[in-house]
Amino acid sequence: MTQARDGSAPRQLAAIDLGSNSFHLLIVEYSEGYFKTLEKRGEKVQLADGMDHHGQLSEEAMERAMACLAMFARFIDGIAPEDIRIVGTNALRIASNSGEFLSRAQQFLQHDIEIISGREEARLIYLGAAHALADVHGRRLVADIGGGSTEMIIGERFTPLALESLEMGCVVYTDRFFADGRVTEKNFRQAEREARSELASIARNYRRLGWQDPIGTSGTIRATAEILEAHQQCSEGIITRKGLEWLKKRLIKSGQLEGLALDGLKPTRARVYPAGLAILRAIFDLLELESMRYAGGALREGVMYDLIGRNTPEDPRHESVKALVKRFDIDERQQLNVCQTADILFSSARSEWGLTELHRCYLQWAASLHEMGLSISHARFHRHGSYILENADLSGFSRPEQGLLAFLVRAHRRRYPTREARQLPERQALHFQRIAVLLRLAVMLNHSRDDEPFQDLSLTVKGETLILTLPEQDTLRLNDAEREAHYLQEAGITLEVAIRQTNPPA
């Protein structure tokens, strides 16, 4: 039983990670500031193994994945949607037909799947590893060798200081260097050389930051510790440089991937293990390691801890937005004014439009960031801001979440982007189209950039009809509202502007 963040009524929480090699499921009961594991499963799917040279996932790989997800679906049935998080990693980041995969997978799971960036994957891995380890002072290096990518993190306690995701993994390297099913000195050396080349881009900076505690997580490193311990080449999960050299010689002597037999090595991992070992040896070489210890926490545990912290003041997405405000030198007073006006509008529309606290968060984030594109150019700055949000690595945000935020910023001015609105995920489309309308109104009402937020308004919402009431003497905002009414027609929204008389007749 592991301590979590705060006391609360019992909840069942589920985290699923769709890795390039394995899919993992974790279900816990969270109560009284603790959670206990109810179900923990891992299935070798080897999604990346079914990808051709055009980046297409094969039908065979997708069928393996759907069979696994059909089983997972039974475990998460009955858990509240807001208490489930499902993330996809490298294979789904790069697959050209990942859209088809997601459509089929979401039918099985009846839940959205979030494809996360490499650095977000690294952050979540570190979060899982840090919670699994003793809370000691000093910096940690965490390495996680996956099927399609390898994540390298330096952090202290629960805070990552450096995050990288490298394009090398045990499934991808098996296809590239061991496709003929043989393990030789030559192809093993080629795999190591390629991995060292990938690591070269981060090695100097990582060595400069330094660490006291090198940690390894997930399948390849766990298997290495178990093999070495079974052959009395290590103890207590400590992997050494000497042990890796012994293991390399054993693999080359065996010569074949199929039927590779070593005490401690599961048959389901045997085929991709030599490639993973080559990557691990390269990590030892480039980062000048003498030893590394295995830790149990990894991506699925990190997803779980992140799920517990979501939509709370500790949500890492809030910090990401604050960092962007500072980085792009966004006018602080203006963004706060727009945020406050947007909150008034949200409160007026919330009940009629079925909006939630999460929708309020998105509205506030978009209000804070709507002018970030001004750092590039005033012309079409809403497009510039949208592009940055869609393509940047933002801690705490998945790629679909960044897409939703990017849409809001894109939609906040000028003509309503109907084409982009049609491309929103079906489950979220209506709510985010409506949030975009509230953001537009908040920006419009603060167009004059006054010292204080504009609050002298009332908004009535009846379906897709909005009645905005403004004071009669505020001719600038009345004119702006009339113009906005024309733009919103393209969004299917009717905006009626009413005038409130300041001194009504006796």
Side-chain angles (χ1 to χ4, degrees):
M1 188 177 290
T2 305
Q3 187 168 11
R5 194 187 63 261
D6 57 15
S8 57
R11 296 162 59 194
Q12 278 197 16
L13 306 172
I16 297 175
D17 83 79
L18 310 181
S20 302
N21 187 43
S22 302
F23 288 4
H24 294 101
L25 165 74
L26 177 63
I27 299 177
V28 305
E29 183 179 80
Y30 176 63
S31 176
E32 298 293 332
Y34 291 81
F35 70 65
K36 66 177 180 180
T37 300
L38 301 178
E39 191 69 44
K40 191 173 185 178
R41 287 181 174 258
E43 297 290 329
K44 291 287 185 296
V45 174
Q46 296 189 345
L47 196 61
D49 193 35
M51 191 177 297
D52 63 22
H53 295 299
H54 300 290
Q56 289 261 335
L57 297 171
S58 69
E59 181 59 30
E60 292 80 7
M62 287 207 271
E63 286 180 0
R64 291 196 300 270
M66 297 309 143
C68 176
L69 295 181
M71 178 186 65
F72 283 3
R74 295 196 296 271
F75 288 102
I76 65 173
D77 185 38
I79 299 177
E82 64 271 19
D83 290 333
I84 301 171
R85 192 173 184 208
I86 306 170
V87 302
T89 60
N90 185 261
L92 294 176
R93 284 196 290 270
I94 65 176
S96 58
N97 59 340
S98 63
E100 178 187 349
F101 175 92
L102 293 177
S103 177
R104 291 169 64 175
Q106 286 167 173
Q107 288 296 317
F108 277 102
L109 297 169
Q110 290 298 300
H111 196 280
D112 292 330
I113 297 169
E114 307 170 43
I115 299 177
I116 54 177
S117 71
R119 287 188 175 177
E120 176 64 3
E121 182 179 355
R123 183 188 73 85
L124 293 170
I125 287 168
Y126 182 78
L127 187 61
H131 275 91
L133 296 166
D135 187 14
V136 298
H137 296 290
R139 290 183 180 176
R140 298 187 178 106
L141 169 72
V142 176
D144 185 296
I145 301 169
S149 64
T150 293
E151 281 62 50
M152 303 291 298
I153 312 99
I154 292 177
E156 195 162 351
R157 298 193 69 189
F158 301 115
T159 303
L161 305 175
L163 297 164
E164 289 294 344
S165 179
L166 304 173
E167 294 292 323
M168 57 185 189
C170 60
V171 177
V172 172
Y173 271 33
T174 297
D175 290 343
R176 189 179 303 175
F177 300 107
F178 303 96
D180 63 357
R182 300 175 62 237
V183 185
T184 66
E185 180 73 39
K186 180 180 179 181
N187 60 12
F188 201 98
R189 186 170 59 249
Q190 289 174 330
E192 286 185 302
R193 186 185 301 125
E194 183 70 15
R196 285 196 295 267
S197 178
E198 285 288 334
L199 285 157
S201 63
I202 70 166
R204 177 176 295 181
N205 183 50
Y206 272 47
R207 289 196 300 265
R208 179 184 60 80
L209 283 170
W211 57 85
Q212 289 76 48
D213 191 12
I215 302 295
T217 66
S218 293
T220 290
I221 296 173
R222 181 183 67 245
T224 300
E226 290 174 350
I227 294 167
L228 292 176
E229 191 154 357
H231 290 269
Q232 299 182 334
Q233 297 292 320
C234 79
S235 63
E236 298 180 351
I238 305 296
I239 299 166
T240 65
R241 181 182 289 269
K242 180 181 177 181
L244 294 182
E245 181 63 24
W246 174 86
L247 194 43
K248 174 186 175 181
K249 291 177 180 177
R250 284 292 304 265
L251 292 182
I252 292 173
K253 185 178 180 180
S254 72
Q256 298 290 329
L257 297 182
E258 296 300 329
L260 179 61
L262 283 168
D263 290 343
L265 178 63
K266 296 177 181 178
T268 54
R269 180 163 291 276
R271 181 176 175 274
V272 299
Y273 180 69
L277 179 64
I279 294 170
L280 182 56
R281 282 174 52 86
I283 292 171
F284 266 66
D285 286 346
L286 265 287
L287 297 184
E288 301 173 359
L289 300 178
E290 292 300 323
S291 65
M292 171 184 286
R293 65 187 178 112
Y294 169 71
L299 180 57
R300 61 184 161 188
E301 288 80 10
V303 171
M304 183 63 70
Y305 279 103
D306 198 60
L307 178 60
I308 291 169
R310 287 207 145 201
N311 307 321
T312 74
E314 298 175 23
D315 193 325
R317 293 175 293 183
H318 296 317
E319 292 304 314
S320 288
V321 171
K322 290 178 183 177
L324 288 173
V325 170
K326 183 176 181 180
R327 178 181 177 184
F328 289 94
D329 196 25
I330 298 172
D331 185 327
E332 185 173 358
R333 182 182 64 192
Q334 179 65 4
Q335 59 104 352
L336 288 173
N337 287 351
V338 173
C339 283
Q340 290 189 44
T341 302
D343 203 50
I344 296 170
L345 296 170
F346 180 90
S347 296
S348 299
R350 178 173 185 165
S351 177
E352 178 69 15
W353 277 356
L355 303 176
T356 67
E357 280 303 305
L358 179 59
H359 296 130
R360 187 196 296 271
C361 285
Y362 272 97
L363 178 58
Q364 292 294 306
W365 293 332
S368 295
L369 300 174
H370 74 280
E371 289 191 334
M372 67 185 300
L374 287 172
S375 64
I376 299 175
S377 169
H378 188 276
R380 298 154 62 96
F381 73 85
H382 53 305
R383 293 178 180 267
H384 301 320
S386 178
Y387 178 85
I388 294 168
L389 289 170
E390 191 153 18
N391 292 281
D393 284 330
L394 302 182
S395 179
F397 286 93
S398 65
R399 287 301 186 192
E401 289 173 334
Q402 288 183 220
L404 294 170
L405 189 55
F407 167 75
L408 295 177
V409 170
R410 167 67 181 85
H412 89 264
R413 67 192 290 263
R414 302 293 174 86
R415 293 190 61 179
Y416 187 84
T418 53
R419 180 175 63 85
E420 288 86 345
R422 287 194 295 269
Q423 294 172 351
L424 289 170
E426 183 178 352
R427 293 171 188 260
Q428 289 116 337
L430 180 59
H431 283 139
F432 277 83
Q433 289 168 19
R434 288 170 165 177
I435 296 169
V437 171
L438 299 179
L439 177 62
R440 291 178 68 94
L441 294 178
V443 172
M444 176 203 74
L445 292 169
N446 288 280
H447 183 207
S448 56
R449 308 183 80 87
D450 296 331
D451 290 340
E452 300 295 329
F454 183 73
Q455 303 180 68
D456 190 10
L457 66 104
S458 67
L459 179 70
T460 302
V461 180
K462 298 178 180 178
E464 305 308 303
T465 298
L466 308 182
I467 304 172
L468 178 64
T469 303
L470 300 172
E472 65 175 340
Q473 75 274 20
D474 200 340
T475 55
L476 176 62
R477 288 189 177 85
L478 288 167
N479 288 337
D480 285 346
E482 292 290 350
R483 186 184 306 113
E484 182 64 20
H486 176 71
Y487 284 135
L488 290 182
Q489 287 178 356
E490 296 185 48
I493 297 290
T494 299
L495 175 62
E496 299 178 3
V497 183
I499 298 173
R500 184 180 68 253
Q501 294 184 353
T502 306
N503 296 305

